Amino acid sequence: MMKVEVLYFANFKDITGKDREVLELNENTLIGLTSKLFRKYEPIKNLIWDDRIKGLKKNISLVINDQIVQDKEKEQLVLADGDKISFLLPFSGG
Amino acid sequence: MNTNNFASIKSGIYDKDAISLANVISSLNSHPKIAKVGSILTFTGIVRETSQEGKLIRNLEVDSYDELANASINKICNEIRELSGIIEVIIIHFKGKFQIKDELVHVIVASSHREEGFKALRLAVEKYKKEIAVWKKETFLDGNSEWVH
């Protein structure tokens, strides 16, 4: 069992009603996290997940510990206890 | 030369109305290279009453991932400061809840001559629009709202 902190911005904040929370994961991969997130907040799946490629949508940025993850195969990434994770939709500066 | 005042205004994400454009410009007076500056250009983005699709807006909310956005803003400013003739670049982006006409962002470019300043200002605006972790939520007159992406 490990814990990660998930940060929510914009649409994600509206869906969850909070700006961050700590989640306990049974599986230490990104898939482990997304599975848990989708069970808890079904609309998040529609926002970030592409069932055809069984992965994150192309327009979604994954950020771990304030760094944008550039890896192509993000879904198999191994997470560490205490990681701070967020999914970002395309930006829209003022 | 006193540079304390200048150092106190940093590019980044701020709460609504935390800094005025006038304060940023006056802070440049104490910039260590102010004698090389012949042009100060500014861009201010404000809340328009219509969305990109032409729907009437009641108000606007801006959310940001501060750590990421501040890092990107500093990267943009550092890149543009490297351009020939550019003395200083400051980007101030506000977050919070906004009404029509409220200021959302200021971009300030100090350059030796106006021509390189105009180019740098446009580049800074195009970059912040795409590269900083900020999102706008438009609430329309009919009460519906949506995040812009």
Coordinates of all heavy atoms in Angstrom, one line a residue, chain A residues 7-14 20 63-68 84 86-94, chain B residues 43 45 61 63-68 93 104-105 128-137 147-149:
Chain A
L7 N -3.3 16.5 -7.3 CA -3.7 17.9 -7.3 C -4.8 18.1 -8.4 O -4.6 17.5 -9.5 CB -2.5 18.8 -7.7 CG -1.2 18.6 -6.9 CD1 -0.2 19.7 -7.3 CD2 -1.5 18.7 -5.4
Y8 N -5.8 18.8 -8.1 CA -6.9 19.0 -9.1 C -6.9 20.5 -9.5 O -7.0 21.4 -8.6 CB -8.2 18.6 -8.4 CG -8.2 17.2 -8.0 CD1 -8.5 16.9 -6.7 CD2 -8.1 16.1 -8.9 CE1 -8.5 15.5 -6.2 CE2 -8.1 14.8 -8.5 CZ -8.4 14.5 -7.2 OH -8.4 13.2 -6.8
F9 N -7.0 20.8 -10.8 CA -7.1 22.1 -11.3 C -8.3 22.2 -12.3 O -8.6 21.2 -12.9 CB -5.8 22.6 -12.0 CG -4.6 22.5 -11.1 CD1 -3.7 21.5 -11.2 CD2 -4.4 23.6 -10.2 CE1 -2.6 21.4 -10.3 CE2 -3.3 23.5 -9.4 CZ -2.4 22.5 -9.4
A10 N -8.8 23.4 -12.4 CA -9.9 23.7 -13.4 C -11.0 22.6 -13.4 O -11.6 22.4 -12.3 CB -9.2 23.8 -14.8
N11 N -11.2 21.9 -14.5 CA -12.3 21.0 -14.6 C -12.2 19.9 -13.5 O -13.3 19.5 -12.9 CB -12.3 20.2 -15.9 CG -12.1 21.1 -17.1 OD1 -11.2 21.9 -17.2 ND2 -13.1 21.0 -18.0
F12 N -11.0 19.5 -13.2 CA -10.8 18.5 -12.1 C -11.3 18.9 -10.8 O -11.8 18.2 -10.0 CB -9.4 18.0 -12.1 CG -8.9 17.5 -13.4 CD1 -8.2 18.3 -14.3 CD2 -9.0 16.2 -13.7 CE1 -7.8 17.9 -15.5 CE2 -8.6 15.7 -15.0 CZ -7.9 16.5 -15.9
K13 N -11.1 20.2 -10.5 CA -11.5 20.8 -9.2 C -13.0 20.8 -9.2 O -13.6 20.6 -8.1 CB -10.9 22.2 -9.1 CG -10.9 22.8 -7.8 CD -10.3 24.2 -7.8 CE -8.8 24.1 -7.7 NZ -8.1 25.5 -7.7
D14 N -13.6 21.1 -10.3 CA -15.1 21.2 -10.3 C -15.7 19.8 -10.1 O -16.7 19.6 -9.4 CB -15.6 21.7 -11.6 CG -15.5 23.2 -11.8 OD1 -15.1 23.8 -10.8 OD2 -15.8 23.7 -12.8
R20 N -7.0 19.2 -3.9 CA -6.0 18.1 -3.7 C -6.5 17.0 -2.8 O -7.4 17.3 -1.9 CB -4.6 18.6 -3.2 CG -4.7 19.3 -1.9 CD -3.3 19.8 -1.5 NE -2.9 20.9 -2.4 CZ -1.6 21.1 -2.7 NH1 -0.7 20.5 -2.1 NH2 -1.3 22.1 -3.5
V63 N 1.8 15.5 -14.8 CA 2.8 16.2 -14.0 C 3.1 15.4 -12.7 O 2.1 15.1 -12.0 CB 2.4 17.6 -13.7 CG1 3.5 18.3 -12.9 CG2 2.0 18.4 -14.9
I64 N 4.3 15.1 -12.5 CA 4.7 14.4 -11.3 C 5.7 15.3 -10.5 O 6.8 15.6 -11.1 CB 5.3 13.0 -11.5 CG1 4.2 12.1 -12.3 CG2 5.7 12.3 -10.2 CD1 4.7 10.7 -12.6
N65 N 5.4 15.6 -9.3 CA 6.3 16.5 -8.5 C 6.7 17.8 -9.3 O 7.9 18.1 -9.3 CB 7.5 15.7 -8.1 CG 7.1 14.5 -7.2 OD1 6.1 14.5 -6.5 ND2 7.8 13.4 -7.4
D66 N 5.8 18.4 -9.8 CA 5.9 19.7 -10.5 C 6.7 19.6 -11.8 O 7.2 20.7 -12.3 CB 6.6 20.8 -9.6 CG 5.7 21.0 -8.3 OD1 4.5 20.9 -8.4 OD2 6.3 21.4 -7.3
Q67 N 6.9 18.4 -12.3 CA 7.6 18.3 -13.6 C 6.7 17.6 -14.6 O 6.1 16.5 -14.3 CB 8.9 17.4 -13.4 CG 9.9 17.9 -12.4 CD 10.6 19.2 -12.9 OE1 10.9 19.4 -14.1 NE2 10.8 20.1 -12.0
I68 N 6.6 18.2 -15.8 CA 5.8 17.5 -16.9 C 6.5 16.3 -17.4 O 7.7 16.3 -17.7 CB 5.6 18.5 -18.0 CG1 4.7 19.7 -17.6 CG2 4.9 17.8 -19.2 CD1 4.3 20.7 -18.6
K84 N 3.6 13.6 -5.9 CA 2.5 14.6 -6.1 C 2.2 14.6 -7.6 O 3.0 14.9 -8.5 CB 3.0 16.0 -5.7 CG 2.0 17.1 -5.6 CD 2.6 18.3 -4.9 CE 3.6 19.0 -5.8 NZ 4.0 20.3 -5.3
S86 N -0.6 15.3 -11.0 CA -1.8 15.9 -11.6 C -1.9 15.7 -13.1 O -0.9 15.4 -13.7 CB -1.7 17.4 -11.3 OG -0.6 18.0 -11.9
F87 N -3.1 15.8 -13.5 CA -3.4 15.7 -15.0 C -3.9 17.0 -15.4 O -4.7 17.6 -14.8 CB -4.5 14.6 -15.2 CG -4.1 13.3 -14.7 CD1 -4.5 12.8 -13.4 CD2 -3.4 12.4 -15.5 CE1 -4.2 11.6 -12.9 CE2 -3.1 11.1 -15.0 CZ -3.4 10.7 -13.7
L88 N -3.3 17.5 -16.5 CA -3.6 18.9 -17.0 C -4.3 18.9 -18.3 O -3.7 18.2 -19.3 CB -2.4 19.8 -17.0 CG -1.5 19.8 -15.7 CD1 -0.4 20.8 -15.9 CD2 -2.4 20.2 -14.5
L89 N -5.3 19.6 -18.5 CA -5.9 19.9 -19.8 C -5.2 21.0 -20.5 O -4.4 21.7 -19.8 CB -7.4 20.2 -19.7 CG -8.3 18.9 -19.4 CD1 -9.6 19.3 -18.7 CD2 -8.5 18.2 -20.7
P90 N -5.3 21.2 -21.8 CA -4.6 22.3 -22.5 C -4.8 23.6 -21.8 O -5.9 23.9 -21.3 CB -5.2 22.3 -23.9 CG -5.6 20.9 -24.1 CD -6.1 20.4 -22.7
F91 N -3.8 24.5 -21.7 CA -3.8 25.7 -21.0 C -4.6 26.8 -21.8 O -4.8 26.7 -23.0 CB -2.4 26.3 -20.8 CG -1.5 25.2 -20.2 CD1 -0.1 25.3 -20.5 CD2 -1.9 24.3 -19.3 CE1 0.8 24.3 -19.9 CE2 -1.0 23.4 -18.7 CZ 0.3 23.4 -19.0
S92 N -5.1 27.8 -21.0 CA -5.8 28.9 -21.7 C -5.6 30.2 -20.9 O -6.4 30.7 -20.2 CB -7.3 28.6 -21.7 OG -7.8 28.3 -20.4
G93 N -4.3 30.7 -21.1 CA -3.9 31.9 -20.4 C -4.8 33.1 -20.8 O -5.4 33.1 -21.9
G94 N -4.8 34.1 -19.9 CA -5.7 35.2 -20.1 C -5.4 36.2 -21.2 O -4.4 36.1 -21.8
Chain B
F43 N 1.6 45.1 -22.7 CA 0.4 44.5 -23.1 C -0.5 44.2 -21.9 O 0.1 43.6 -20.9 CB 0.7 43.2 -23.9 CG -0.5 42.3 -24.1 CD1 -1.3 42.5 -25.2 CD2 -0.9 41.3 -23.2 CE1 -2.4 41.7 -25.4 CE2 -2.0 40.5 -23.4 CZ -2.8 40.7 -24.5
G45 N -4.0 42.2 -20.9 CA -5.2 41.4 -21.3 C -6.3 41.7 -20.3 O -6.1 41.6 -19.1
E61 N -13.4 33.1 -14.3 CA -12.5 32.6 -13.2 C -11.2 32.1 -13.8 O -11.2 31.4 -14.9 CB -13.3 31.4 -12.5 CG -12.5 30.8 -11.3 CD -13.3 29.7 -10.6 OE1 -14.5 29.6 -10.9 OE2 -12.7 28.9 -9.9
D63 N -7.9 29.7 -12.9 CA -7.2 28.8 -12.0 C -5.8 28.6 -12.5 O -5.5 28.7 -13.7 CB -8.0 27.4 -11.9 CG -7.5 26.6 -10.8 OD1 -6.9 27.1 -9.8 OD2 -7.8 25.3 -10.8
S64 N -4.9 28.2 -11.6 CA -3.5 28.1 -12.0 C -2.8 27.0 -11.2 O -3.1 26.8 -10.0 CB -2.7 29.4 -12.0 OG -2.6 29.8 -10.6
Y65 N -1.8 26.4 -11.8 CA -0.9 25.4 -11.1 C 0.3 26.3 -10.8 O 1.2 26.4 -11.7 CB -0.6 24.3 -12.0 CG 0.2 23.2 -11.4 CD1 0.1 21.9 -11.9 CD2 1.1 23.4 -10.3 CE1 0.9 20.8 -11.4 CE2 1.9 22.3 -9.8 CZ 1.7 21.1 -10.3 OH 2.5 20.0 -9.8
D66 N 0.4 27.0 -9.7 CA 1.3 28.0 -9.5 C 2.8 27.6 -9.7 O 3.6 28.4 -10.3 CB 1.2 28.6 -8.1 CG -0.1 29.4 -7.9 OD1 -0.9 29.5 -8.9 OD2 -0.4 29.9 -6.8
E67 N 3.2 26.5 -9.1 CA 4.6 26.1 -9.2 C 5.0 25.9 -10.7 O 6.0 26.4 -11.1 CB 4.9 24.8 -8.5 CG 4.7 24.9 -7.0 CD 3.3 24.7 -6.5 OE1 2.3 24.7 -7.3 OE2 3.1 24.5 -5.3
L68 N 4.1 25.2 -11.5 CA 4.4 25.0 -12.9 C 4.3 26.3 -13.7 O 5.2 26.6 -14.5 CB 3.4 24.0 -13.4 CG 3.8 23.1 -14.5 CD1 5.0 22.2 -14.1 CD2 2.7 22.1 -14.9
H93 N 0.6 37.5 -14.3 CA -0.7 36.9 -14.6 C -1.5 36.7 -13.3 O -1.1 36.2 -12.3 CB -0.5 35.5 -15.3 CG -1.7 35.1 -16.1 ND1 -3.0 34.9 -15.6 CD2 -1.8 34.8 -17.4 CE1 -3.8 34.5 -16.5 NE2 -3.1 34.4 -17.6
L104 N -6.4 40.8 -16.5 CA -6.0 39.4 -16.3 C -4.5 39.2 -16.4 O -4.0 38.3 -15.7 CB -6.6 38.6 -17.5 CG -8.1 38.3 -17.5 CD1 -8.5 37.8 -18.8 CD2 -8.5 37.4 -16.3
V105 N -3.8 40.0 -17.2 CA -2.4 39.8 -17.4 C -1.7 41.1 -17.8 O -2.3 41.9 -18.5 CB -2.2 38.6 -18.4 CG1 -2.8 39.0 -19.8 CG2 -0.7 38.3 -18.6
Y128 N 3.1 33.0 -23.5 CA 2.4 32.8 -22.2 C 1.0 32.2 -22.5 O 0.5 31.4 -21.7 CB 2.3 34.1 -21.4 CG 1.1 34.9 -21.6 CD1 -0.2 34.5 -21.1 CD2 1.1 36.2 -22.2 CE1 -1.3 35.3 -21.3 CE2 0.0 36.9 -22.5 CZ -1.2 36.5 -22.0 OH -2.4 37.2 -22.2
K129 N 0.4 32.5 -23.6 CA -0.9 32.0 -24.0 C -0.9 30.5 -24.1 O -1.9 29.8 -23.7 CB -1.4 32.5 -25.3 CG -1.9 34.0 -25.2 CD -3.4 34.0 -25.0 CE -4.0 35.4 -25.0 NZ -5.4 35.4 -24.6
K130 N 0.2 29.9 -24.6 CA 0.3 28.5 -24.8 C 1.0 27.7 -23.7 O 0.8 26.5 -23.5 CB 1.1 28.2 -26.1 CG 0.4 28.7 -27.4 CD 1.2 28.4 -28.6 CE 0.6 29.1 -29.8 NZ 1.6 29.5 -30.8
E131 N 1.9 28.4 -23.0 CA 2.9 27.6 -22.2 C 2.7 27.6 -20.7 O 3.4 26.9 -20.0 CB 4.3 28.0 -22.6 CG 4.7 27.8 -24.0 CD 6.1 28.3 -24.4 OE1 6.9 28.6 -23.5 OE2 6.4 28.4 -25.6
I132 N 1.8 28.5 -20.2 CA 1.7 28.5 -18.7 C 0.5 27.8 -18.2 O -0.6 27.9 -18.9 CB 1.9 29.9 -18.2 CG1 0.7 30.8 -18.5 CG2 3.1 30.6 -18.7 CD1 0.7 32.1 -17.7
A133 N 0.6 27.1 -17.1 CA -0.4 26.3 -16.6 C -1.5 27.1 -15.9 O -1.6 27.2 -14.7 CB 0.2 25.2 -15.6
V134 N -2.3 27.7 -16.8 CA -3.4 28.6 -16.3 C -4.7 28.2 -17.1 O -4.6 27.9 -18.3 CB -3.0 30.1 -16.6 CG1 -4.2 31.0 -16.4 CG2 -2.0 30.5 -15.6
W135 N -5.8 28.3 -16.5 CA -7.1 27.9 -17.2 C -8.1 29.0 -16.9 O -8.2 29.4 -15.7 CB -7.6 26.5 -16.7 CG -6.6 25.5 -17.0 CD1 -6.5 24.7 -18.1 CD2 -5.6 25.0 -16.1 NE1 -5.5 23.8 -18.0 CE2 -4.9 24.0 -16.8 CE3 -5.2 25.4 -14.8 CZ2 -3.9 23.3 -16.2 CZ3 -4.1 24.7 -14.3 CH2 -3.4 23.7 -15.0
K136 N -9.0 29.3 -17.9 CA -10.0 30.2 -17.7 C -11.4 29.5 -17.8 O -11.6 28.6 -18.6 CB -10.1 31.2 -18.9 CG -8.9 32.2 -18.9 CD -9.2 33.3 -20.0 CE -9.1 32.7 -21.4 NZ -8.8 33.8 -22.4
K137 N -12.3 29.9 -16.9 CA -13.6 29.4 -16.9 C -14.6 30.5 -17.1 O -14.6 31.5 -16.4 CB -14.0 28.7 -15.5 CG -15.3 28.1 -15.4 CD -15.6 27.6 -14.0 CE -16.8 26.7 -13.9 NZ -17.0 26.3 -12.5
W147 N -14.9 25.5 -18.9 CA -13.5 25.8 -18.9 C -13.0 25.9 -20.4 O -13.4 25.1 -21.2 CB -12.7 24.8 -18.2 CG -12.9 24.8 -16.7 CD1 -13.8 24.0 -16.0 CD2 -12.2 25.6 -15.8 NE1 -13.7 24.4 -14.7 CE2 -12.8 25.3 -14.5 CE3 -11.3 26.6 -15.9 CZ2 -12.4 26.0 -13.3 CZ3 -10.8 27.3 -14.7 CH2 -11.4 26.9 -13.5
V148 N -12.2 26.9 -20.7 CA -11.7 27.1 -22.0 C -10.4 26.3 -22.2 O -9.5 26.3 -21.3 CB -11.3 28.6 -22.3 CG1 -10.8 28.8 -23.7 CG2 -12.6 29.5 -22.0
H149 N -10.3 25.5 -23.3 CA -9.1 24.7 -23.6 C -8.6 24.9 -25.0 O -9.4 25.2 -25.9 CB -9.3 23.3 -23.3 CG -9.6 23.0 -21.8 ND1 -8.7 23.2 -20.8 CD2 -10.8 22.6 -21.2 CE1 -9.3 22.9 -19.7 NE2 -10.5 22.5 -19.9

